[in-house]
């Protein structure tokens, strides 16, 4: 994308959040290319580790694959094909990082799109509190798509382990978000002043 490998963009987003310890999860075929490109990350101020997802079993499997890496910490997940751009990003992400660390809830983000049925879709009440989340609905209840950036409490690992595979055979991240919503432990922030590409 422009003059950088795609992976540089999500990595820079994590760096803007103050995150330096990062686990890159990819396919058996592709992981060696990331290792060759980035190494251990020391030359760009990161501490990089690598893990393999043998088959495309869903985004939520990342927390199972990364359990030992995560340890007892809270965790941020970003998808490798998402780009975020905007002046407020460093402040927004640092605030979100600290907010999740200091409280017992997780935070995800919504973005206004014209084709929300292609994504996980969040529905809000009149006060913009999230009331439902659906994965690729035929009749979306809002225009707000869930973007590929998630800040979770550490118990996301146990939640992911209890997710049953969807009809696609995947551990859906939407199911994790629905569980946090059911527990009243999920906040959805709107990215009104940010440009997002998936």
């Amino acid at each position: 994308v422009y003059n950088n490998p795609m992976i540089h963009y999500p990595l820079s987003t994590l760096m803007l959040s103050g995150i330096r310890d990062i686990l890159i999860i990819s396919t058996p075929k592709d992981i060696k290319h990331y290792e060759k490109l980035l190494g251990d990350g020391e030359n760009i101020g990161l501490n990089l580790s690598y893990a393999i997802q043998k088959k495309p079993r869903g985004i939520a499997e990342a927390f199972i694959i990364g359990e030992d890496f995560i340890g007892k910490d809270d965790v941020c997940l970003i998808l490798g094909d998402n780009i975020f751009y905007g002046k407020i990003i460093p402040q927004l992400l640092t605030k979100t990082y600290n907010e999740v660390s200091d409280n017992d809830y997780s935070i995800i983000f919504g973005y206004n799109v014209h084709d929300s049925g292609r994504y996980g879709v969040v529905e809000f009440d009149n006060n913009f509190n999230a009331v439902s989340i659906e994965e690729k609905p035929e009749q979306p209840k809002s225009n707000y798509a869930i973007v590929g950036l998630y800040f979770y409490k550490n118990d996301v690992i146990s939640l992911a382990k209890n997710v049953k595979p969807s009809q696609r055979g995947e551990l859906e991240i939407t199911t994790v978000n629905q569980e946090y919503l059911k527990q009243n432990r999920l906040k959805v922030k709107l990215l009104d002043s940010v440009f997002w590409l998936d």
Side-chain angles (χ1 to χ4, degrees), residues 88-151:
I88 70 160
I89 285 182
Q91 179 185 357
L92 171 73
L93 297 183
T94 303
K95 184 179 177 189
T96 301
Y97 176 92
N98 291 331
E99 197 174 336
V100 169
S101 295
D102 296 341
N103 295 279
D104 189 36
Y105 54 78
S106 297
I107 297 174
I108 60 175
F109 299 92
Y111 189 87
N112 197 338
V113 297
H114 69 276
D115 54 351
S116 59
R118 294 176 48 216
Y119 305 96
V121 175
V122 58
E123 176 192 12
F124 296 99
D125 63 18
N126 292 333
N127 296 316
F128 269 89
N129 297 307
V131 293
S132 76
I133 298 174
E134 294 178 286
E135 181 63 25
K136 297 182 175 65
E138 288 185 18
Q139 296 182 315
K141 293 178 180 174
S142 84
N143 291 325
Y144 284 97
I146 300 298
V147 305
L149 178 64
Y150 317 84
F151 287 80

Side-chain angles (χ1 to χ4, degrees), residues 45-88:
L46 296 176
N47 177 25
L48 298 178
S49 302
Y50 299 88
I52 290 171
Q53 185 180 37
K54 293 178 182 175
K55 294 182 179 176
R57 293 196 188 100
I59 297 169
E61 192 184 33
F63 303 108
I64 300 169
I65 294 169
E67 180 176 10
D68 290 341
F69 175 84
I70 297 165
K72 296 183 178 179
D73 293 334
D74 296 328
V75 62
C76 173
L77 170 70
I78 188 168
L79 303 186
D81 60 356
N82 277 223
I83 295 177
F84 298 88
Y85 182 78
K87 285 184 180 178
I88 70 160

Side-chain angles (χ1 to χ4, degrees), residues 144-163:
Y144 284 97
I146 300 298
V147 305
L149 178 64
Y150 317 84
F151 287 80
Y152 290 122
K153 298 302 294 181
N154 183 265
D155 64 347
V156 70
I157 300 169
S158 57
L159 262 64
K161 286 180 177 179
N162 289 317
V163 170

Side-chain angles (χ1 to χ4, degrees), residues 19-58:
I19 294 169
R20 296 293 179 265
D21 296 318
I22 298 171
L23 176 67
I24 296 173
I25 300 173
S26 189
T27 66
K29 177 182 153 196
D30 293 326
I31 197 78
K32 60 183 179 284
H33 299 299
Y34 292 119
E35 290 185 85
K36 183 177 179 184
L37 175 69
L38 300 164
D40 62 7
E42 186 179 5
N43 63 331
I44 52 173
L46 296 176
N47 177 25
L48 298 178
S49 302
Y50 299 88
I52 290 171
Q53 185 180 37
K54 293 178 182 175
K55 294 182 179 176
R57 293 196 188 100

